[in-house]
Amino acid sequence: MNGLMMQQPLLISSLLVHAERHHGEREVVSRRVEGDIHRYTYRELAARSRRLAKALAALGVKPSERVGTLAWNGYRHMELYYAVSGAGSVLHTINPRLHPDQIVYIADHAEDQVLCFDLSFLPLVQAVAGRTKTIRHFVAMTDRAHMPADPKIPNLLCYEDLVDGQDDRYDWPVFDENTASSLCYTSGTTGNPKGVLYSHRSTVLHTFAIALPDALNCSASDAILPVVPMFHVNAWGLPYAACMTGAKLVFPGPGLDGKSLYELFEAEQVTVSAGVPTVWQALLAYVDANGLKFSTMRRTVVGGSACPPAMLRQFAEDYDVHVLHAWGMTEMSPVGTVAAFKPQHLAQPVEERYAVMSKQGRAVYGVDMKIVDPAGRELPWGGAASGDLLVRGPWVLSRYFKGEGGEALRDGWFPTGDVARIDAEGYMQITDRSKDVIKSGGEWIGSIDLENIAMAHPAVAIAACIAVPHPKWDERPLLVVVKKPGAELTKEELLGFYEGKIAKWWTPDDVVFVDAIPLGATGKMQKNRLRQMLKDYRLPVA
Ligand code: ADP
């Protein structure tokens, strides 16, 4: 017997319709590429998204066709999020930090028909425009007054002209919720980037899950500033969760330096934010150096790479900001786990609570996870065993776009490529990417643990730990460190800092000081490039 409830497909457009009808007065504030602050309401966002949907249809964009973007976090990008997916086409957010060759590759692979871009990316678009195969229209996301005089792109269209050219009488089409909505390419540190194609259903379900209190905790009374870019796994779903909950949205545009971010946090009374650790490092350095405090910010989501315990402690103790440490990946829309407390943690001493917050967290409903040994047998929870982390759920990828890489699943589970432990309470802790593990004498050494300890040293700005060959142990850990400006630190002092914090045989064999550690397009340390940089390095002979 079937239930007797309405059949309503879960469509992305329904989030915008909800925001317009029930939170129509709530603000969306953006720092624009043009330099000023723009503000309007969800009502205006909805109306302009409808006009944009009509304009894209008038350009000949059909359902399922891809529309690419090269854009910062801002209201026009938000309009594209809803106009493109809402009309049944597919929004392809491109990471502008990729190399132009990679951008050409993914725009061709995605068969993008239109490319919309912020003016800051004009030189990048000029570099790729003549080389892409399928793009029929280039659209500069600005108004007539700011259009470049000599863009060197034939028939460049103006975004505001497109929107102005239509009225907002438009009904969002209704279609199967399994229809593709958006497309993101993985960073592709090995081989070509692979496309992850989300559906309306997966996106809406993910939105419900991340808005919950023990996940990203979004509410109508919040003002959310996603620092995580809209070109990085849909800003972790916040542009959707904000519409679902009616939270105020604040978009930083290109202003991602500490000063610009801090000023926006304060001026717009931001309560919640989200971003990768490297961004927070810059913000905290600015706030610290200028003796400032956050007057309204209370929570921030940190993910994308491990949040160093020293950072969540600094947020809590110096700024009264609670860090929600989260883990996920492009293939998971992205959120899989969040390190929110269970009741037993609330009464614990603060140090034990920091230890919980430092883990990557427990699964949000909708995602199941397990760790397995090399033969694929499930390993017990409890903290001791670490193994390959596998996940499944309705917003986890089943296959890459165009079947690239063949079957992505192992017995119905997606292998994340991460190595993790899961404690008895269900909190997962990543010890490494499987390709970064350090294997010493047949045992694994977790590079993330070693990095976290180094990052707690006051003179260390950033630390990476990589494996280097060793005649007896196969591999040993080498610590690569960038010192804070002006800080004094010797190798002996830093290695001494490990004493008592980990098993002695885990201590790195050597420390190399460098000026910078290579970061990838999403702000992660690129250990493959680091290994390449240090390929001639040899451990000191004992
Ligand atoms: P994204 O595009 O979100 O950066 P990718 O799909 O490129 O994500 O990378 C996902 C990987 O990032 C994960 O498999 C994991 O290795 C790493 N990662 C994400 N969040 C965390 C975290 N909180 N701690 C440690 N590693 C993380």
Side-chain angles (χ1 to χ4, degrees):
M1 184 163 65
N2 284 341
L4 296 174
M5 311 311 280
M6 289 185 194
Q7 281 287 348
Q8 280 202 7
L10 301 173
L11 298 179
I12 286 174
S13 56
S14 70
L15 297 167
L16 186 63
V17 170
H18 174 81
E20 181 182 24
R21 281 177 67 80
H22 302 282
H23 303 281
E25 299 302 323
R26 202 69 169 128
E27 272 187 317
V28 178
V29 181
S30 312
R31 190 192 292 279
R32 284 203 271 212
V33 172
E34 292 90 335
D36 57 346
I37 298 282
H38 171 273
R39 58 181 73 235
Y40 69 1
T41 62
Y42 277 125
R43 190 166 294 127
E44 289 162 281
L45 166 71
R48 279 174 50 97
S49 301
R50 291 195 295 270
R51 289 159 65 169
L52 179 61
K54 287 175 91 163
L56 290 169
L59 285 181
V61 178
K62 304 208 168 43
S64 293
E65 286 188 342
R66 272 72 71 195
V67 174
T69 62
L70 277 170
W72 301 110
N73 292 5
Y75 67 104
R76 293 184 182 119
H77 206 176
M78 182 81 166
E79 291 162 5
L80 281 156
Y81 261 55
Y82 283 96
V84 174
S85 303
S89 309
V90 176
L91 181 81
H92 173 205
T93 46
I94 305 175
N95 188 332
R97 298 191 184 118
L98 294 174
H99 190 274
D101 291 349
Q102 275 183 314
I103 293 181
V104 171
Y105 171 85
I106 62 175
D108 284 349
H109 189 269
E111 300 172 55
D112 290 336
Q113 301 296 308
V114 178
L115 181 66
C116 304
F117 63 94
D118 272 334
L119 283 182
S120 5
F121 303 120
L122 179 63
L124 184 56
V125 176
Q126 286 166 341
V128 302
R131 300 170 56 199
T132 57
K133 295 196 186 85
T134 56
I135 299 175
R136 288 180 283 137
H137 301 286
F138 289 88
V139 181
M141 292 164 66
T142 189
D143 55 19
R144 186 46 54 194
H146 291 87
M147 282 296 278
D150 178 22
K152 301 193 176 66
I153 296 169
N155 307 319
L156 179 65
L157 298 171
C158 167
Y159 184 97
E160 290 300 329
D161 285 356
L162 292 179
V163 173
D164 286 346
Q166 304 289 335
D167 61 42
D168 68 358
R169 287 190 302 274
Y170 177 78
D171 291 323
W172 296 108
V174 176
F175 41 78
D176 183 347
E177 65 187 18
N178 292 301
T179 304
S181 61
S182 35
L183 177 63
C184 287
Y185 280 74
T186 58
S187 353
T189 38
T190 48
N192 276 325
K194 290 190 291 243
V196 180
L197 188 61
Y198 310 106
S199 70
H200 285 259
R201 172 185 157 81
S202 72
T203 304
V204 173
L205 290 176
H206 178 260
T207 308
F208 275 116
I210 65 163
L212 286 171
D214 277 357
L216 309 196
N217 192 356
C218 308
S219 124
S221 42
D222 280 316
I224 304 178
L225 187 153
V227 180
V228 50
M230 291 168 83
F231 55 75
H232 183 190
V233 216
N234 302 320
W236 299 347
L238 289 168
Y240 305 116
C243 278
M244 177 178 275
T245 56
K248 171 177 168 177
L249 257 178
V250 184
F251 286 128
L256 299 178
D257 59 290
K259 180 172 189 288
S260 310
L261 280 177
Y262 178 78
E263 285 171 4
L264 205 55
F265 276 122
E266 290 301 298
E268 299 302 328
Q269 308 211 311
V270 171
T271 58
V272 183
S273 188
V276 297
T278 38
V279 166
W280 295 131
Q281 253 185 337
L283 179 66
L284 288 176
Y286 172 79
V287 175
D288 192 38
N290 292 281
L292 303 167
K293 294 282 176 207
F294 295 103
S295 47
T296 54
M297 226 245 288
R298 288 297 161 257
R299 296 189 298 282
T300 186
V301 185
V302 179
S305 24
C307 177
M311 179 179 284
L312 57 90
R313 183 188 291 268
Q314 188 184 5
F315 261 124
E317 295 177 1
D318 297 352
Y319 302 107
D320 200 17
V321 172
H322 183 80
V323 167
L324 283 160
H325 189 195
W327 165 86
M329 51 198 312
T330 307
E331 288 86 340
M332 300 174 65
S333 304
V335 179
T337 62
V338 183
F341 293 131
K342 287 186 172 180
Q344 61 268 34
H345 302 128
L346 299 174
Q348 282 180 348
V350 67
E351 291 303 321
E352 287 172 39
R353 276 188 281 145
Y354 287 146
V356 175
M357 291 164 72
S358 304
K359 297 184 178 177
Q360 275 67 20
R362 55 189 165 89
V364 295
Y365 165 77
V367 172
D368 194 9
M369 60 181 177
K370 64 176 181 181
I371 46 173
V372 300
D373 68 13
R377 285 180 299 246
E378 182 164 5
L379 292 166
W381 294 12
S386 72
D388 290 327
L389 179 65
L390 272 52
V391 292
R392 65 178 177 193
W395 55 83
V396 177
L397 148 146
S398 63
R399 220 160 14 102
Y400 288 100
F401 185 45
K402 298 188 173 173
E404 220 89 317
E407 178 59 59
L409 304 189
R410 227 190 271 166
D411 296 331
W413 292 76
F414 176 72
T416 61
D418 287 321
V419 177
R421 293 187 283 265
I422 304 179
D423 72 16
E425 292 169 317
Y427 288 78
M428 182 273 288
Q429 184 168 21
I430 307 254
T431 53
D432 251 314
R433 289 294 283 166
S434 56
K435 57 183 186 298
D436 293 334
V437 291
I438 303 166
K439 219 167 178 193
S440 172
E443 302 265 6
W444 285 353
I445 295 179
S447 65
I448 294 180
D449 285 330
L450 299 183
E451 288 156 9
N452 282 344
I453 293 172
M455 301 273 280
H457 192 287
V460 172
I462 178 164
C465 204
I466 56 170
V468 288
H470 188 280
K472 178 166 176 201
W473 303 112
D474 283 340
E475 291 179 349
R476 287 296 300 162
L478 170 70
L479 190 67
V480 187
V481 170
V482 180
K483 283 187 264 191
K484 287 202 179 140
E488 298 283 334
L489 178 66
T490 63
K491 162 180 146 180
E492 290 70 28
E493 191 185 340
L494 187 53
L495 292 178
F497 192 64
Y498 279 88
E499 254 165 59
K501 298 192 173 86
I502 38 156
K504 211 166 170 34
W505 66 275
W506 273 45
T507 310
D509 279 28
D510 197 10
V511 180
V512 173
F513 294 101
V514 294
D515 293 336
I517 285 173
L519 298 180
T522 55
K524 288 178 216 244
M525 297 192 283
Q526 288 187 308
K527 292 201 183 171
N528 51 345
R529 281 184 56 198
L530 198 57
R531 283 189 285 262
Q532 188 60 26
M533 266 167 61
L534 291 162
K535 68 178 185 325
D536 297 327
Y537 169 87
R538 292 288 168 272
L539 282 171
V541 184

